[in-house]
């Protein structure tokens, strides 16, 4: 049960003073969700984006041009418009004149607001026109009483159509008045060291800022609330994880005999990072706690081999293993990599996708159900109801952020105490890994297997496309194979983006039948056939959309051209570039861009030319784009922080993680004095699922 102390915050925002039905509907649109209206709490946590400083009170002659000033003036003359011109009001003080300009304004309203001969305060942007100072549509026109109520810094909020700034500010003030007196849940020593104010005082200062610095995301008021949010998130992650581990765990013991056979069949030795990851995973599997580990590795770092060694461990312990990939191309690629190694170790392996023939599917289902199959690789077809395992012990999920939470969980539900290994080829900045996957242990593969060649990366203007095509012609004559990546499938009149189908037609004029095409709208069989032709060298140029972004492995491909590179995210460009440089030949990546480049696009292309380190690239991507984009929009199951900014608050996240770990080690059920206070915090940031798990025992 939510403590009654918090009830006022979970009441509808429509019940606040001055919020009528019309404003209530607008607040619902801005802050509500499909199944619930906006609440007082939503208004409190909807913090200003910035503020307008209204503290400057200069004389007319001293008012800085191009800045907001609040000036005391006397109204000397009204000049109604001639034709379609503006309405002008002449005002003055002892230092000079200021003309107030109104377009399409109601004359009666202006005369009432600015009576001749009266003194008024006007606040707005001062500009110079024909050497005269003017203010177009003043933000505020006030008498002395109005000036007394003018906030020194006016908060600027995110709005929705029809909702006016002052209406939202008034509603936020009403919400603040409903905030109860809350106990301090932060550690006393830490709290004193930061110099922060309380939760309520920090909220009040952000909704009623005294200086523009009060609203800085790095400032102490914002930091206090960001830390509260991050701490609530880290606590809930750990509580959920602890419950999952306590409820479900089963040691899986192996002496490594199968792993030795696989290693003997490998054409290369494991890198130090791979060996370390295998050791970490083996320790998890042998433990009586359920494994939940994220294996992240840069492009081509050898995650699939690590996953196979983990599978060998559980198979030796008498269980089965499954590897689920988000696309059919990727599932087939994994199967092709794993099959020879698995069979060399005497393991049985099958592939399951949505396109299996009925007889194939029946045989696979039977093998999984009776235990004859050790390993299955597949798409989300693996989580369909009719798929049953005899004794599933390990669920490996590749590119796990591409699955919804329910799909990720569903595979683990196909057995008892199933250990979970999630994998991603998108290196995740440490900050994001803590926030989004803080319930998982983390293994990272930074080293490339021996023999990988560096990739020569160049940015070239699309105006030089003829030179690029001529260069490809020379390379193809020497046996090279080329990817050409486009952002769209087919052209449209309102888009200047190169389209894959159009580009394939263009390139066929030069290279004829040597040009293949693959994109996400093709049927699975056609996609596979196009990939197979390219892999076998039947086609030399493969025009593709980002369907080839992950998992596609053709070592003979040594050139990739990425058209409209400026439109792709940095991590995505890095993933695409990773399709080449997979063999022993020198490889190159051509980033074709259409100018003029914006600052962010230019920075992206520069970083890509400078480095192939996916982890550095991920950190830069976070800095340039923020966390919502780095992981591919807002995913189901992602934290969706309201206040915390992971690009600005990484230190706060680390501190919150340490704090949560220490606290739960000492008070795992949050029943101590601070623990009881922190339960309020979990309700405030709606992380109370963890509390329900605690109650469920």
């Amino acid at each position: 049960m939510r403590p009654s102390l918090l009830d006022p915050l979970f009441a509808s925002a429509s019940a606040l003073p001055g919020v009528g039905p019309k404003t209530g509907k607008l607040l619902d649109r801005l802050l509500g969700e499909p199944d619930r209206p906006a609440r007082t709490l939503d208004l409190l946590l909807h913090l200003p984006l910035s503020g307008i400083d209204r503290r400057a009170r200069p004389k007319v002659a001293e008012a800085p041009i191009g800045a907001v000033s609040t000036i005391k003036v006397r109204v000397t003359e009204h000049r109604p418009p001639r034709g379609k011109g503006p309405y002008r009001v002449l005002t003055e003080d002892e230092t000079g004149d200021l003309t107030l300009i109104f377009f399409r304004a109601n004359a009666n309203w202006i005369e009432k607001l600015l009576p001749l001969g009266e003194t008024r305060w006007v606040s707005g942007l001062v500009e110079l026109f024909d050497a005269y100072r003017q203010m177009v549509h003043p933000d505020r026109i006030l008498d002395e009483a109005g000036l007394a109520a003018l906030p020194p810094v006016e908060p600027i909020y995110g709005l929705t159509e029809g909702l006016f700034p002052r209406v939202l500010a008034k509603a936020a003030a009403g919400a603040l008045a409903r905030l109860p007196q809350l106990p301090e849940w932060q550690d006393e020593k830490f709290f004193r060291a930061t110099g922060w104010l309380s939760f309520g005082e920090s909220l009040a200062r952000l909704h009623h800022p005294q200086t523009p610095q009060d609203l800085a995301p790095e400032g102490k008021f914002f930091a206090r609330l960001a830390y509260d949010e991050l701490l609530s998130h880290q606590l809930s992650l750990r509580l959920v994880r602890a419950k999952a581990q306590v409820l479900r765990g089963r040691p899986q013991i192996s002496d490594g005999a199968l792993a030795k056979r696989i290693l003997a069949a490998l054409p290369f030795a494991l890198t130090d990072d791979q060996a370390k990851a295998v050791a970490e995973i083996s320790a998890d599997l042998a433990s009586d706690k359920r494994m939940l580990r994220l294996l992240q590795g840069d492009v081509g770092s050898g995650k699939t081999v690590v996953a196979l060694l983990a599978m060998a461990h559980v198979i030796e312990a008498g269980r089965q293993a499954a590897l689920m990939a988000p696309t059919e191309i990727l599932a087939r690629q994994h199967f092709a990599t794993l099959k020879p190694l698995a069979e060399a170790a005497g393991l049985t392996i099958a592939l399951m996708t949505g396109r299996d023939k009925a007889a194939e599917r029946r045989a696979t289902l039977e093998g999984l159900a009776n235990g004859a199959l050790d390993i299955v690789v597949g798409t989300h077809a693996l989580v369909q109801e009719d798929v049953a395992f005899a004794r599933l012990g390990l669920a490996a999920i590749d590119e796990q952020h591409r699955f919804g939470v329910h799909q990720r969980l569903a595979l683990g539900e196909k057995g008892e105490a199933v250990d979970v290994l999630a994998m991603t080829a998108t290196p995740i900045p440490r900050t994001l890994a803590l926030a989004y996957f803080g319930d998982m242990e983390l293994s990272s593969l930074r080293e490339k297997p021996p023999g990988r060649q560096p990739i020569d990366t160049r940015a070239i203007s699309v105006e030089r496309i003829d030179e690029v095509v001529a260069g490809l012609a020379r390379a193809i004559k020497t046996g090279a194979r080329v990817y050409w990546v486009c952002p769209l499938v087919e052209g449209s009149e309102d888009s200047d983006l190169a389209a894959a189908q159009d580009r394939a037609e263009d390139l066929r004029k030069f290279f004829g039948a040597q040009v293949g095409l693959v994109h996400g709208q093709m049927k699975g069989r056609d996609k596979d056939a196009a990939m197979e032709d390219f892999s076998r060298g039947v086609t030399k140029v493969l025009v593709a959309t980002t369907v080839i972004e992950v998992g596609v492995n053709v070592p003979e491909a040594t050139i990739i051209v990425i058209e409209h590179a400026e439109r792709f995210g940095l991590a995505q460009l890095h993933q695409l570039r990773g399709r080449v440089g997979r063999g022993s030949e020198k490889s190159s990546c051509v980033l074709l861009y259409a100018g003029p480049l914006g600052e962010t696009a230019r920075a992206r292309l520069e970083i890509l030319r400078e480095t192939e380190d996916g982890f550095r690239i991920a950190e830069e991507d976070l800095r340039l784009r923020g966390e919502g984009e780095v992981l591919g929009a807002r995913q189901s199951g992602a934290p969706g922080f309201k206040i915390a900014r992971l690009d600005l608050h990484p230190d706060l996240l680390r501190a919150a993680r340490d704090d949560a770990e220490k606290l739960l080690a000492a008070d795992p059920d949050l029943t101590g004095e601070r623990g009881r206070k922190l339960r309020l915090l979990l309700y405030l940031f709606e992380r109370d699922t963890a509390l329900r798990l605690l109650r469920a025992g």
Side-chain angles (χ1 to χ4, degrees), residues 577-621:
R577 176 171 63 178
R579 297 311 98 214
V580 297
R582 303 177 83 84
S584 55
E585 298 297 316
K586 282 193 73 173
S587 292
S588 50
C589 170
V590 176
L591 305 170
L592 269 185
Y593 66 86
L597 287 177
E599 203 175 316
T600 302
R602 187 179 298 283
R604 274 205 292 267
L605 300 189
E606 282 295 323
I607 291 156
L608 213 67
R609 284 175 57 208
E610 282 172 24
T611 183
E612 286 182 54
D613 180 347
F615 289 86
R616 186 190 153 199
I617 283 168
E619 293 289 352
E620 291 292 340
D621 210 18

Side-chain angles (χ1 to χ4, degrees), residues 27-40:
L27 290 175
D28 290 347
R29 190 197 303 164
L30 178 67
L31 302 171
E33 288 178 7
D35 56 343
R36 65 151 181 80
R39 305 155 306 179
T40 303

Side-chain angles (χ1 to χ4, degrees), residues 38 46 88 148 153 251 271 297 355 396 530 537 577 585 631:
H46 185 61
R88 288 180 165 82
V153 177
T271 64
R355 288 203 288 119
R577 176 171 63 178
E585 298 297 316
L631 287 169

Side-chain angles (χ1 to χ4, degrees), residues 23 92 188 190 262 350 473 560 671:
T23 303
E92 64 179 20
E188 193 179 331
F190 175 71
I262 290 166
I560 186 164
T671 51

